[in-house]
Amino acid sequence: MSDQTSHKPDGRVTTRSLKRFKKDGKKITMLTAYDYPTAKILDSSGIDCILIGDTAGVVVAGNENTLPVTMDEMIFLTKAVSRGVKKALLVGDMPFMSFQVSEAEAIRNAGRFLKEGAAAAVKLEGGSEIAPLILKMVDFGIPVMGHIGLTPQSINKFGAHLIFGKTEKQKNYLLQSARALQDAGCFAMVLESVLPDVAGEITESVSIPTIGIGAGPHCDGQVLVISDMIGLFEDFKPKFVRTYADVAGIIRKAVSEYIRDVEKGDFPGEKESYG
Ligand code: KIV
């Protein structure tokens, strides 16, 4: 395969493109999206990869964590996002308890993201313990992105949003898991809340790309939650977020102008009326 064919002819980013980007030293860009208009904007802005994250449970639905999110909710969001995407690689996030109960259920649910949601791949939280399941999914034609470090679906096990890689035991588990995910056939993996040096060591030790969130600058790419980076979600802001816009402020200003215009009888005017 030549360099030119690492992208599909129509310019679509594929799982192969991401591996090529790592080889070429091109940083991979990924953001989450949960709806059609946002997906369209991200895609036309040139983002490499869009994740329909189960963070929707927090930043869209207002839950305290991602645990309540269901498969049907994820499929609804994935369908909406995929309708807005022409080029970016679309990854659907498998929600809590959609892949843990049995191998058959996991494969059926992963397949739904591709069949019903038109995603190109799925993401699963977990390390070496889920490598045999990932191997099966990949065998059956379902590309998988791994996710290690802080895995928010296990928040009740951890008890807090911890930083990973601080102890030798954690570091060894992360390195061993990264290799297991690579060997199982993952095309990339997310590293969340991992000490920068440990993330760098993992990135050097695997041939597939690492995509960091709160994992420092040495990863092959970066991902952020769209609602955090555009300043829409205001309940809390993790240290690793850089805010690029004040969308909440823009909405507030627009809404107060609308309220003023309606109350003054200024809206609707002639321009906004039929006849
Ligand atoms: O659900 C999500 O949005 C994620 C990212 C934070 C990587 O898993």
Side-chain angles (χ1 to χ4, degrees), residues 30 32 34 51-56 66 93 123 125 147 152 190 192 213 223 225:
M30 179 158 105
T32 65
Y34 314 104
L51 172 70
I52 304 99
D54 66 354
T55 38
T66 58
D93 208 4
K123 177 171 82 57
E125 292 185 8
H147 183 156
V190 168
E192 180 163 353
I213 176 160
V223 55
V225 168

Side-chain angles (χ1 to χ4, degrees), residues 35-78:
D35 60 58
Y36 168 79
T38 308
K40 228 175 143 179
I41 294 167
L42 300 190
D43 193 55
S44 60
S45 304
I47 201 82
D48 294 321
C49 197
I50 295 178
L51 172 70
I52 304 99
D54 66 354
T55 38
V58 178
V59 299
V60 175
N63 293 301
E64 198 181 313
N65 57 48
T66 58
L67 271 62
V69 178
T70 66
M71 266 307 296
D72 285 345
E73 287 165 348
M74 288 306 298
I75 294 299
F76 174 80
L77 300 178
T78 306

Side-chain angles (χ1 to χ4, degrees), residues 239-256:
K239 175 179 162 61
F240 56 76
V241 171
R242 186 177 291 177
T243 310
Y244 287 85
D246 175 23
V247 169
I250 292 170
I251 294 174
R252 253 186 222 105
K253 184 168 176 288
V255 172
S256 55

Side-chain angles (χ1 to χ4, degrees), residues 182-210:
Q182 168 186 261
D183 296 346
C186 281
F187 66 89
M189 74 186 80
V190 168
L191 303 181
E192 180 163 353
S193 296
V194 174
L195 285 181
D197 286 352
V198 177
E201 205 175 320
I202 295 170
T203 301
E204 275 182 22
S205 75
V206 291
S207 60
I208 59 172
T210 59

